[in-house]
Amino acid sequence: LHRQQCSPTLWTFFLWCALHFVATYRPGISRYNYLVVNYTAPIMFLSSLLLFLYFINLEIKNKKTIRIINFFASTTLGVYLIHVNPLIWQKYMKNFAVGFLENTPMLMSLKVVFAAMAIYLTCSMIDALRIYLFKVCSIYKYCDNFSDYLEQKMWGGNTQS
């Protein structure tokens, strides 16, 4: 990673994070938390957009860093699918962080960040194992063959690639 100054986009993201923190933990404002902390909250969308705009222009030249990023990028969909799976959600995820509410806002925030990192890393390793098993067992070859078969049956093989 080459040294880069903090862009206005990243500063704006940090400002959004500070607003999120204040709006979440300021006494008397808790009835409006749904506007700030839900996945569909405008502040979440804007934070995501700002991070996207920052990282789209980031230049990474170190090959080892690129390999690490590509590894985690290849498992991201798997991470999502694992941790929102209804069985996983009901048994492990639902209400697992309720105890965090008993802490101070700063400690709770740290616990949330570390829990999110642990969940992401655990799910990444599970999906990396899935990817490895798919390669070893040639599952991708079978998927391609099945896809070709369906294409023949549904469209008579007259599709353009």
Side-chain angles (χ1 to χ4, degrees), residues 77-98:
L77 179 62
V79 169
Y80 174 75
L81 293 175
I82 291 167
H83 93 271
V84 299
N85 179 295
L87 299 174
I88 300 296
W89 181 261
Q90 289 296 323
K91 184 151 176 93
Y92 300 107
M93 302 294 292
K94 187 176 180 182
N95 298 325
F96 95 98
V98 169

Side-chain angles (χ1 to χ4, degrees), residues 9-79:
T9 305
L10 197 57
W11 281 115
T12 309
F13 170 74
F14 289 136
L15 175 65
W16 276 116
C17 289
L19 285 172
H20 174 270
F21 188 81
V22 169
T24 304
Y25 302 114
R26 185 168 174 227
I29 201 166
S30 62
R31 67 177 179 219
Y32 300 108
N33 277 353
Y34 68 92
L35 292 172
V36 180
V37 296
N38 286 346
Y39 278 126
T40 57
I43 200 166
M44 292 297 178
F45 172 75
L46 290 172
S47 295
S48 301
L49 180 64
L50 291 170
L51 281 176
F52 176 75
L53 291 174
Y54 173 73
F55 282 108
I56 199 166
N57 294 318
L58 188 65
E59 292 181 32
I60 302 171
K61 301 191 192 265
N62 185 318
K63 291 188 186 284
K64 188 174 182 179
T65 303
I66 291 171
R67 285 184 54 201
I68 291 169
I69 291 170
N70 284 336
F71 168 78
F72 285 110
S74 70
T75 63
T76 299
L77 179 62
V79 169

Side-chain angles (χ1 to χ4, degrees), residues 93-109:
M93 302 294 292
K94 187 176 180 182
N95 298 325
F96 95 98
V98 169
F100 294 176
L101 293 171
E102 298 170 0
N103 301 115
T104 63
M106 186 59 77
L107 182 59
M108 185 186 84
S109 297

